[in-house]
Amino acid sequence: MENCTYFFVEHVVTDKQGWDKWRNSWQDIFGAEDMTVDKARSYPEWEGNECVLAIPTSDDKMTICLWKMRSGTSKDEFQAFIDRFACGYANNKVFQVEHAIGIRKLDARGYFSDLINAAQGRPSPGYLDAPKVWLTHHRILDREGFSALNASIADKINKTCTTPSDCQTIFPAGHKCCLTLFFTGNDMVCFESTPEGVTYDDVKKAEDEFTRGLSRNYVYQMDTAKGINAFHLSEDNWSQDAMTWANATVKTAPVDSTTATMTTSIGIEASQ
């Protein structure tokens, strides 16, 4: 495993005026004509840490970020850092990433390049594979059942998918995945892409049917055009990692058993 720890943050905005002013101040800094990636990374507010992804929800009430920290950083240490960094304008919900699928192209250099371009009037292209991206936060209610569901997904990939792109066929028609983050504890998030015309209700219904009551599912539409580094997410990267994850997964019971678990899971190192 590479020498780092990843954390996912849900910034729930509590002071919209302050949050917008804070974001605009960073835009002013990075909009300088002589700004470079190395100069941007050197600002003391980052404390040497690396953000690799930031995307607001379409209603701008929440922004998600993915951070790459030094190995061994504790959740409490990161919480203290991110609370300092966000200056009190948001409630910062922190989750430590245990395993990841689709993270391979997300790095700080891509993040800062996109941030500088946007600040200098060259907007980010956003997500490129589909017009809509949704975030589903799964709060797991039944760990054994949810583990069995994941094991069944891996089993289906191993039995029916001959190429990485086949992995997307395990989802409802028109729905594809571009990032999955498994957290320590009872949470995970999935980013899925859909065509135009798909609504919140469509996604919520699909997620609830897919998880069969094993998790409480919170769905958010994301605005990737206002995000940073979202164009480095892709269905293809997810599919390649998903096949690696499925091939590495070992089930201790038949997949239709509620006691089926994954004893070997993809690690972050398999996604780099």
Side-chain angles (χ1 to χ4, degrees), residues 52 102-107 110 229 232-234 237 241 271-272:
V52 299
I103 202 174
R104 63 174 63 215
K105 295 296 185 180
L106 298 178
D107 62 19
N229 213 25
H232 276 135
L233 294 173
S234 80
N237 291 335
D241 286 348
S271 303
Q272 294 295 319

Side-chain angles (χ1 to χ4, degrees), residues 46 49-54 65-68 107-109 111-112:
W46 301 101
N49 304 313
E50 298 182 344
C51 189
V52 299
L53 180 70
C65 292
L66 182 62
W67 286 79
K68 180 180 177 181
D107 62 19
R109 183 159 292 275
Y111 175 88
F112 281 109

Side-chain angles (χ1 to χ4, degrees), residues 25-39:
S25 69
W26 281 111
Q27 290 275 43
D28 292 340
I29 290 170
F30 293 129
E33 290 184 4
D34 62 345
M35 184 57 61
T36 65
V37 169
D38 289 338
K39 184 182 290 188

Side-chain angles (χ1 to χ4, degrees), residues 172-185:
H175 295 243
K176 296 184 178 180
C177 201
C178 58
L179 181 65
T180 301
L181 301 174
F182 300 89
F183 303 141
T184 57

Side-chain angles (χ1 to χ4, degrees), residues 54-72:
I55 310 174
T57 55
S58 58
D59 61 10
D60 213 25
K61 293 181 178 179
M62 182 175 78
T63 294
I64 65 88
C65 292
L66 182 62
W67 286 79
K68 180 180 177 181
M69 308 289 288
R70 71 183 184 281
S71 181

